[in-house]
Amino acid sequence: MELAQPLIEQPFYKRLQLGDWAYAVLVLAAAAYSWSLYNHYMDGYEQAILAGSAIGLVALGWFWKSWRWFFPLAGAVALLGINAYHGELARGQTAFWLKYALSSQSAIMWMCTLFFLATGVYWAGLIARSGLLTRMGSGLTWAAAVMGAAGLFVRWYESYLIGADIGHVPVSNLYEVFVLFTLITALMYLYYEAKFAVRQAGAFVLLVISAAVGFILWYSFDRQAHEIQPLIPALQSWWMKIHVPANFIGYGAFAMSAMLGVAELLVIKGKLKDRLPAADVLDEMMYKAIAVGFLFFTIATILGAMWAADAWGGYWSWDPKETWALIVWLNYAAWLHIRLVKGWRGEPLAWWAVIGLLVTTFAFLGVNMFLTGLHSYGGL
């Protein structure tokens, strides 16, 4: 009898298909074009960030196939908006497509509307046990993410139309980072939704996104926070381009894990058990989200310390924002330790993840509202 020959997995590069290479060429060509236009405005660090971003986007597209259409589509929508300006910011108030769809504020308002609709449709699908409705919820979430990403790209361009000394990456104030938070949280959820085939969980994850959308709307209409402002001196640094996005991958992952924890607790208590995924599936999703969030939050904390040394001459000053970032880090480090070393699962860690959202929210928003320090520029 012949023994079965073990399967030998092909090297990674041999598993890449034509679509993978086409996507990589597109991203690298766009990066090269951007470098040819703007390299004389960029220092060595910013050129390195551009190169690293291009490589990262290629890797992400190879790892997550849906990204290969999402990112080019968001970029194409942003380019439509950018080209519609014809170099004149005033056209944003007169040109039809800019005023109602493609300016940064219009695109972000569409994002908000689509996220609200997605939340309602996901819940309708959950209650009615309708696969069609949950698929529609997924589609609306993807559409919201496209408009949110395009809105941030256009806002970046708009800031330079105001003035070369005003232009900056749109992650500098609470309005911009809340948009970033909703975008990152939605994209992370969509990845795990497809990986675990659990569209029903969207009803819970979209709740925290809709809460952030509610803040964006209040902050826009009550405080006029959507208006682009010059960067304060403390933020005029290339460090902002890498520290803030890494931080908000962490925040988004922690927020998503908390909502998955809520869903798991309901299943454990017998509520919606016949409509939601199994508790062990939700538990595994929660674990993976926290693991990814902890990795990026660690990177962001290290980058923040390096930025502090560059800006203020010391890596750590026990500023309230730094102190609460450390508390968040220790909280999730302990969570992962308990799960990986002690083997805890289920209800205790689900409750921990839910309570962890309160800690994270205070570090994200509460510190800006109630405490003062070196990071007080992020206040309401």
Side-chain angles (χ1 to χ4, degrees), residues 287 291 333-345 349:
Y287 159 64
W335 192 100
L336 289 168
H337 174 81
I338 291 295
R339 179 184 170 96
L340 296 174
V341 177
K342 299 299 183 180
W344 285 21
R345 298 288 190 278
L349 289 188

Side-chain angles (χ1 to χ4, degrees), residues 17 19-21 23 61-62 64-72:
Q17 300 176 348
D20 297 303
W21 291 113
Y23 167 77
W62 286 354
W64 183 21
K65 302 305 182 186
S66 296
W67 184 266
R68 295 190 314 191
W69 66 260
F70 165 78
F71 184 69

